[in-house]
Amino acid sequence: MHSTRRPRLAALGAALAAGALAVSATPSGAVTGPASPSGDTTHAYAAQLIVGDHDRGCSGVLVDAEWLLTAAGCFAADPATSLAVPAGKPQLKTIATIGRSDLTSTSAGAVREVVELQPRTDRDVVLARLSRPVTNVTPITLATAAPTAGEELRFAGYGRSATEWAPLNLHTGAFSVDAADATTATVTGKDGVAACMGDSGGPMVRVSGGTHQLAALSSQSYQGGCYGVDEAVTSTGGIAARVDDLGAWVASKTGATRITDFNCDAAEDIAVGDPKASVNGLSEAGLLKVVYGAGKGSETLHQDLSYVPGESEAGDEFGGELAVVDYDEDGCTDLVVGIPLEDVETTADAGWVTVLYGSPAGLGKGKAALNLQQGTGTGALKERASEAGDRMGAALAAGRTAAGEPYILIGAPGKNLKGYHDAGLAYYLRGSTSVSFHQDSPGIVGVINEGDEFGASVAGSPNHIAVGSPGETVGTSADAGMVAILKHEVNADGVPAPVASVNQDSTGISDASEGGDRFASSLSMVAHRPSGAAAATDSVLAIGTPGETLWVGTNSFPQAGQVTTVRVTAAGAVSELATIHQGTEGVNGASASGDGFGTQVVAVNTAPKAVGTASTMLLAVGVPKKDIGTATDAGFVQTFSLLGAPGDSDHWIEAGNDRGVPGTPGASQLMGNYLNGTGTHLWIGMPHGPADRGAVHGIPWSNAMGGTGGTVITHQPGLNGLPLTGKAFGMAIR
């Protein structure tokens, strides 16, 4: 067809008006070419999308394990007038079927919900994130050269045929490129081929030497010969949206770290705990405040709200432990709240964990909360009863496995086992899996003893999980500490498969176990893609040992603290990367008694799908009891790269220095005691001042790693719409 922009929106609107789909039992040949036989994987990257209750049907293409490219008009409210699509969760539930040339087959490909949209504003293109990665289909690569006049592009789509409203097979054909401009190409179907209703967003592919590259997406068509189109329309021309120049944009979206997004609008949100706050006059009942991104306000959550399980009680300290994960896989981040001091009926400090589900209306405004309590639910949770002092929820980790399945890891370090007080255990929840494990579980090194506190710290990556027992006796050294590293796969013994147990007497680990070290008091773990690997199959674990005594010559500094980083390979090999303290060669500062270096650790991979580098694999270490000048226990945060020598990239963050945290160091501020890291910011909680009710500060990683130009984000009660309530805002951050 001739290139003309005037009929563009009207034509697209007609192409998308699919209506309710009826299916034919016997697909026939289509205008878009022959039906692909069942089992044909030539175009396995192609996808069918059903929007709403069959309101619209479109096609798409897999460009990453969890992302499709398709037409923005598939999701526009009225594509005849505007292709604008808001970022975030689609307005209508959308189901994508990927990798099935025969839609009646279930032997290949996958079916996923589309849970997030990232639109282009300059063309009819949108990225659509899937609820889970598709692991059995190879995504197509994007072309890097524009379509040229006369070039042939192969097309695949699930739209109408010449005789069927909704064929059950993928159809393919060839188009010739007429011309191209900056964002589109005009094309004409060859041998009677045309794109029909439901083909919008389908891939137009450059094939060379058997290699397929995505050059464009079907956008609009005159639909000559398509079912239901006036027979007088014979044009097989159309407009395709170019994608060959979108490689960097696609990579930036598909390779970014997942943000916290409670209301599913693709703007980053944050939840901040204030467990010391009074609620309705009840001291330390606890609350948390949620700040929604894009200026959408805030809300305060506590247990006196109808949609939060339980009720506020003095000393509960609701909001003291937090984790985030899209647990129900609907595209909205869910908030996991640990309440380890919750009394269960008359059982004091038994603890429980509440999952508040995200929704477009905000946290807790959609489906009812999930309460995880011992003696209820299924599996190990139901089998074990709540007992006094269990402190279930004292440590939390949550995330997704490498296959994309959400999990929650819960520490109950006060659990008494076999007559031993505070032996501790951990709960692992994933799908229908609900298991518990401890130091007498098969394959986990160690034995149950008094005060082990197994589960006092937990961490996870897509590949592994880790559980700390800082009270573990190693040899004859009490409270020396140990960490168990496990895989996500539950083995025949009914526990996540153990990989290793690591302490300071382990082969290859520096230093030695000593009484009071409390190795693994803090843990943080991230996925790592080593050089030469196709994916992030390894993990890097940071282990805090705040009780470590350090020696300089003949002088000892008790509880100066240190951090150990280890790499865990896909095969299960564990090796030390570094031992870090303020006496490590090249590291700024000097150790002093009681510093508590490593009280908190935060490991972050800012590019989780890329090969790990010194600039993307980052570590922040809290040193909350460091004296600064005359300010006792003012505290600070020190940052490093997880890769390379610690002294090559360490930086110091204290209140008032050029990293951007406002204020000045003050006595007992304990800066570094409350930390969280995202792909963009290092979050530092300051609940003990200088702000009266506490504050949190988001430091761009560029600042945290030595720069000065990034804008620091500050949230505190009474500022920017946050209510002036609470007492110690910033004791938990997610």
Side-chain angles (χ1 to χ4, degrees):
M1 63 176 284
H2 297 290
S3 177
T4 173
R5 300 307 291 261
R6 186 173 298 276
R8 182 174 193 267
L9 293 176
L12 178 62
L16 289 171
L21 296 180
V23 296
S24 169
T26 309
S28 63
V31 176
T32 51
S36 297
S38 180
D40 180 16
T41 59
T42 305
H43 305 280
Y45 45 71
Q48 182 209 47
L49 289 87
I50 300 298
V51 180
D53 186 17
H54 294 269
D55 295 60
R56 294 175 184 169
C58 290
S59 299
V61 55
L62 191 73
V63 294
D64 176 85
E66 57 182 327
W67 290 87
L68 300 175
L69 271 177
T70 187
C74 297
F75 301 95
D78 182 4
T81 59
S82 173
L83 296 178
V85 177
K89 187 177 176 68
Q91 298 299 306
L92 298 174
K93 185 173 182 177
T94 301
I95 300 298
T97 301
I98 307 101
R100 293 180 182 171
S101 56
D102 179 352
L103 293 174
T104 66
S105 171
T106 59
S107 61
V111 177
R112 299 285 189 265
E113 183 178 353
V114 173
V115 295
E116 180 185 348
L117 302 176
Q118 289 288 343
R120 292 286 300 188
T121 58
D122 61 344
R123 67 195 77 180
D124 185 19
V125 171
V126 67
L127 268 168
R129 182 168 65 84
L130 305 173
S131 55
R132 282 193 195 180
V134 176
T135 58
N136 58 353
V137 175
T138 301
I140 194 171
T141 59
L142 269 63
T144 56
T148 59
E151 178 182 9
E152 179 180 286
L153 299 177
R154 299 293 300 180
F155 175 71
Y158 289 91
R160 295 185 190 180
S161 70
T163 58
E164 294 176 288
W165 184 277
L168 293 175
N169 286 72
L170 180 71
H171 291 78
T172 63
F175 281 79
S176 178
V177 177
D178 301 324
D181 62 20
T183 59
T184 64
T186 52
V187 295
T188 300
K190 301 175 72 172
D191 302 322
V193 166
C196 299
M197 292 184 185
D199 284 331
S200 291
M204 289 195 164
V205 177
R206 177 178 294 136
V207 181
S208 176
T211 299
H212 291 212
Q213 292 185 326
L214 182 65
L217 302 176
S218 176
S219 178
Q220 304 126 60
S221 170
Y222 282 116
Q223 304 178 63
C226 296
Y227 182 85
V229 173
D230 192 322
E231 291 182 2
V233 178
T234 60
S235 174
T236 61
I239 296 175
R242 284 179 52 189
V243 299
D244 58 276
D245 59 335
L246 299 184
W249 175 72
V250 169
S252 70
K253 298 297 184 182
T254 62
T257 56
R258 189 67 51 82
I259 65 170
T260 296
D261 182 13
F262 300 124
N263 58 352
C264 358
D265 63 353
E268 191 163 18
D269 308 323
I270 186 171
V272 181
D274 185 345
K276 298 296 183 181
S278 296
V279 177
N280 294 327
L282 298 168
S283 177
E284 298 187 4
L287 56 79
L288 59 89
K289 291 184 169 74
V290 179
V291 180
Y292 293 105
K296 294 185 178 178
S298 63
E299 64 177 321
T300 300
L301 302 177
H302 50 73
Q303 289 184 293
D304 277 355
L305 297 174
S306 61
Y307 50 88
V308 180
E311 59 183 22
S312 295
E313 299 169 309
D316 277 352
E317 298 195 6
F318 177 87
E321 301 294 332
L322 303 175
V324 290
V325 62
D326 182 5
Y327 197 55
D328 60 356
E329 299 180 274
D330 68 345
C332 308
T333 304
D334 307 318
L335 182 64
V336 187
V337 185
I339 316 153
L341 300 183
E342 179 76 32
D343 296 347
V344 178
E345 296 179 349
T346 59
T347 306
D349 299 342
W352 71 39
V353 173
T354 294
V355 180
L356 296 172
Y357 290 107
S359 76
L363 269 175
K365 306 300 175 56
K367 67 171 64 175
L370 172 65
N371 211 45
L372 301 172
Q373 178 183 326
Q374 297 175 108
T376 66
T378 61
L381 268 180
K382 184 174 179 61
E383 293 165 3
R384 293 188 179 275
S386 291
E387 298 172 313
D390 281 349
R391 291 184 290 127
M392 178 187 172
L396 294 174
R400 299 192 309 158
T401 68
E405 190 172 10
Y407 69 89
I408 298 175
L409 181 61
I410 303 168
K415 193 73 174 176
N416 300 335
L417 299 172
K418 298 183 178 180
Y420 293 102
H421 287 82
D422 297 339
L425 59 74
Y427 291 100
Y428 177 78
L429 309 176
R430 175 172 54 82
S432 60
T433 297
S434 171
V435 299
S436 65
F437 56 98
H438 46 71
Q439 289 188 297
D440 272 3
S441 296
I444 297 179
V445 176
V447 294
I448 288 174
N449 278 307
E450 195 94 3
D452 283 344
E453 294 185 287
F454 186 84
S457 58
V458 296
S461 80
N463 307 311
H464 302 95
I465 58 175
V467 179
S469 47
E472 176 74 17
T473 296
V474 179
T476 59
S477 300
D479 296 330
M482 177 182 289
V483 59
I485 303 171
L486 311 96
K487 294 183 178 180
H488 286 284
E489 295 82 5
V490 175
N491 63 18
D493 294 314
V495 298
V499 171
S501 288
V502 178
N503 59 55
Q504 289 183 294
D505 283 350
S506 298
T507 302
I509 302 300
S510 298
D511 217 312
S513 294
E514 299 165 314
D517 281 349
R518 294 193 65 80
F519 180 82
S521 287
S522 59
L523 299 171
S524 187
M525 180 184 275
V526 292
H528 170 48
R529 178 180 170 186
S531 179
T537 55
D538 295 5
S539 300
V540 173
L541 174 65
I543 307 165
T545 313
E548 182 74 33
T549 296
L550 296 176
W551 290 79
V552 178
T554 58
N555 297 317
S556 66
F557 298 97
Q559 299 180 3
Q562 70 179 19
V563 171
T564 303
T565 57
V566 299
R567 173 184 169 186
V568 188
T569 70
V574 177
S575 59
E576 182 177 283
L577 294 174
T579 295
I580 310 169
H581 52 75
Q582 292 194 299
T584 301
E585 183 176 356
V587 171
N588 292 317
S591 296
S593 297
D595 279 352
F597 185 95
T599 297
Q600 288 293 330
V601 290
V602 170
V604 170
N605 185 345
T606 63
K609 293 186 177 180
V611 171
T613 68
S615 61
T616 62
M617 300 284 291
L618 307 176
L619 172 68
V621 178
V623 196
K625 293 192 174 182
K626 188 74 171 181
D627 299 342
I628 299 179
T630 58
T632 303
D633 296 344
F636 76 101
V637 178
Q638 199 158 5
T639 60
F640 307 87
S641 171
L642 284 167
L643 304 178
D648 290 346
S649 58
D650 70 311
H651 303 279
W652 184 295
I653 305 172
E654 66 178 62
N657 75 356
D658 55 6
R659 301 287 80 79
V661 175
T664 57
S668 302
Q669 286 179 355
L670 299 177
M671 181 179 181
N673 209 35
Y674 315 97
L675 302 175
N676 184 47
T678 68
T680 57
H681 290 79
L682 170 63
W683 288 94
I684 301 175
M686 301 284 286
H688 308 301
D692 285 343
R693 300 173 190 266
V696 298
H697 307 289
I699 314 301
W701 278 110
S702 56
N703 283 26
M705 297 305 294
T708 58
T711 300
V712 175
I713 302 170
T714 293
H715 299 300
Q716 70 182 59
L719 185 69
N720 298 327
L722 274 180
L724 188 62
T725 57
K727 181 178 180 180
F729 179 83
M731 293 185 78
I733 313 163
R734 287 294 183 271

